[in-house]
Amino acid sequence: MPDRKDDMKIPDKTGHFGDFGGSFVPETLVCALRELEDEYLRAGRDPGFRKQMDYYLKEYTGRPTPLYLASRLSSYLGIGRVYLKREDLLHTGAHKINNTVGQALLALRMKKPRVIAETGAGQHGVATATVAARFGLKCAVYMGREDVERQKPNVFRMKLLGAEVVPVTQGSMTLKDAMTEAMRDWVTNVRNTYYVVGTVAGPHPYPLLVRDFQSVIGREAKSQILKKEGRLPDFLLACVGGGSNAIGLFHPFYADRKVVFIGVEAAGEGLSGNKHAASLSKGKTGVLHGCKSAFMQDADGQVLNAHSIAAGLDYPGVGPEHAFYKRSGRAEYVSVTDAEALEGFKLLSRTEGIIPALESSHAVAYLLKMRRRLRKNSITVLCLSGRGDKDLGIVTPRLDL
Ligand SMILES: *Cc1c(COP(=O)(O)O)cnc(C)c1O
């Protein structure tokens, strides 16, 4: 277990979270990543940048988001109190915009007129296209051809926002191939192009800067819960795809050792087969897309395709800080199946009048499984990472209403 002093040291100067993280990239990108890190550190010391961030987070995305006492949901559980951190109320309907606003401002500082991103379900693509439109940046979004077919509404949104959507026909034509192609674009066009990474993964300094941009979730939640309850929560609960909404909530509580972190991965159709996305529960250590972390792999170390009913959890890896939290015991990682997530989806809709994203429904569903651990006065803060309107097409045929 790391001691308090370690807070300042994760990641270390080379981007390592213990054994994980780092930077495994071609020579051409070493320089670009160093340049990005330098600019990011400069921005951090610049009160003007802080002010700009605060302005756009407040006026454009709608922060601060409420910390809402879900009293009917809590009554349903029959024990303890659950608060929802309402990231679903942000512009574009999820937490992803916290990060893309930050990175768009970095791109502007670095005088890069073009941004690129990769996307699976299209949510990070939409969040990137949104800020690209707002800040007048050219935007290309790489997306596996399979996903282009499956996610037509988001493809249309991105195009409407002025982005070019590039279908990727390599490999399995899904997210991991789109990431590879986006990297290739970056290598070629690094002089005028900024690569917007969508979660706390990729080579250093991305896991660090995405975490910092998303930590606004946990900073707000901390001051809000202290105001409402006069003490820190017992449990923090969040779904984990790449891990950005979870790290954003957890990180500001890192030194508060009594606060238990629970990350909920997608168990898909069950952990016994390969149709899940539980990289921490079932994966192995490996290197992909520039960093060392936990990935779903076959016996030969080939990265597998993930599966989850929640498009945003459908990624076969996880950010290195989570791999580190797991190994050090700072956080625990559990999993929830597609079927259980659907129950969570229905439960929050019915008890609170809030339709959650299928991703966030995984965290809601886990409340039912952790009921035995709750006490009368337990306080749980759950990150409601997004809203569920986008998922109605997937959910409707599966629920008997
Ligand atoms: C993308 C997404 C996620 C998963 O990404 P993380 O980086 O793990 O946060 C979770 N919830 C919603 C609503 C998303 O759009």
Side-chain angles (χ1 to χ4, degrees):
M1 193 67 114
D3 62 32
R4 282 185 79 110
K5 289 201 296 290
D6 278 347
D7 294 352
M8 301 301 144
K9 292 192 219 145
I10 54 164
D12 65 14
K13 280 202 164 63
T14 55
H16 284 87
F17 301 83
D19 237 10
F20 304 101
S23 181
F24 300 82
V25 294
E27 198 59 41
T28 35
L29 292 184
V30 171
C31 208
L33 288 165
R34 180 141 326 131
E35 198 191 337
L36 172 59
E37 185 183 2
D38 290 346
E39 189 58 44
Y40 177 62
L41 295 175
R42 263 197 299 279
R45 291 188 298 265
D46 175 359
F49 184 75
R50 192 64 257 167
K51 247 175 91 179
Q52 233 184 349
M53 276 299 292
D54 289 348
Y55 174 82
Y56 288 107
L57 288 179
K58 177 165 182 274
E59 304 289 337
Y60 186 65
T61 75
R63 302 209 73 89
T65 59
L67 184 71
Y68 166 72
L69 173 59
S71 57
R72 291 232 322 138
L73 175 65
S74 304
S75 300
Y76 179 90
L77 293 170
I79 189 159
R81 290 189 292 290
V82 177
Y83 285 84
L84 305 177
K85 184 60 175 156
R86 297 290 309 273
E87 298 300 292
D88 61 313
L89 294 177
L90 289 174
H91 180 43
T92 67
H95 68 291
K96 286 197 170 70
I97 193 105
N98 299 323
N99 169 48
T100 55
V101 163
Q103 292 198 55
L105 291 175
L106 278 180
L108 286 179
R109 281 180 75 97
M110 298 177 78
K111 303 200 164 42
K112 309 262 181 184
R114 175 174 182 263
V115 295
I116 56 169
E118 83 291 326
T119 198
Q123 289 150 233
H124 174 56
V126 170
T128 303
T130 299
V131 297
R134 171 58 187 81
F135 295 106
L137 300 162
K138 256 187 89 160
C139 179
V141 179
Y142 286 84
M143 193 169 186
R145 201 180 70 194
E146 287 285 320
D147 290 330
V148 173
E149 287 304 312
R150 285 189 293 201
Q151 311 288 344
K152 289 215 170 92
N154 276 341
V155 172
F156 183 70
R157 278 186 191 102
M158 287 183 265
K159 289 184 175 169
L160 185 62
L161 291 161
E164 177 198 2
V165 177
V166 188
V168 173
T169 52
Q170 268 83 353
S172 59
M173 307 191 204
T174 58
L175 178 61
K176 63 183 170 117
D177 313 291
M179 291 182 85
T180 307
E181 284 309 300
M183 278 275 191
R184 197 163 293 167
D185 178 316
W186 201 35
V187 171
T188 316
N189 300 302
V190 64
R191 254 191 35 257
N192 73 346
T193 297
Y194 181 101
Y195 183 14
V196 184
V197 171
T199 189
V200 283
H204 180 64
Y206 283 107
L208 166 67
L209 65 88
V210 178
R211 176 243 273 169
D212 289 353
F213 289 140
Q214 291 294 0
S215 288
V216 67
I217 301 173
R219 283 197 307 273
E220 282 178 12
K222 196 170 189 175
S223 81
Q224 289 167 317
I225 200 71
L226 287 173
K227 243 184 224 140
K228 286 174 197 279
E229 291 279 356
R231 70 170 175 94
L232 294 174
D234 301 290
F235 299 100
L236 301 180
L237 198 55
C239 65
V240 175
S244 69
N245 85 93
I247 282 291
L249 177 65
F250 295 170
H251 190 79
F253 294 87
Y254 185 80
D256 304 307
R257 293 288 147 163
K258 287 199 175 132
V259 180
V260 176
F261 299 170
I262 305 175
V264 186
E265 295 193 297
E269 294 177 6
L271 293 185
S272 48
N274 274 337
K275 298 206 78 176
H276 62 76
S279 343
L280 284 166
S281 308
K282 297 286 284 186
K284 288 186 291 223
T285 300
V287 173
L288 184 73
H289 299 130
C291 85
K292 184 171 170 189
S293 191
F295 299 97
M296 290 170 54
Q297 302 166 55
D298 65 15
D300 301 326
Q302 288 285 10
V303 174
L304 297 165
N305 273 313
H307 162 81
S308 168
I309 191 173
L313 302 184
D314 204 342
Y315 172 59
V318 68
E321 190 161 356
H322 284 291
F324 171 71
Y325 283 11
K326 177 167 189 222
R327 182 167 294 174
S328 69
R330 181 63 190 90
E332 50 183 281
Y333 295 89
V334 296
S335 63
V336 153
T337 64
D338 290 350
E340 290 165 337
L342 280 168
E343 287 307 310
F345 185 87
K346 210 158 90 181
L347 175 62
L348 193 65
S349 302
R350 294 280 166 94
T351 53
E352 298 289 347
I354 297 170
I355 300 176
L358 276 172
E359 292 82 0
S360 329
S361 301
H362 284 71
V364 176
Y366 191 69
L367 284 170
L368 297 168
K369 295 180 135 183
M370 66 181 280
R371 194 151 35 174
R372 266 172 296 130
R373 294 171 69 178
L374 299 174
R375 301 280 167 269
K376 188 162 162 291
N377 279 318
S378 295
I379 300 170
T380 303
V381 172
L382 185 156
C383 187
L384 197 65
S385 54
R387 65 169 133 94
D389 311 50
K390 69 180 176 62
D391 296 317
L392 294 181
I394 297 166
V395 168
T396 311
R398 292 208 185 207
L399 283 184
D400 194 16
L401 297 177

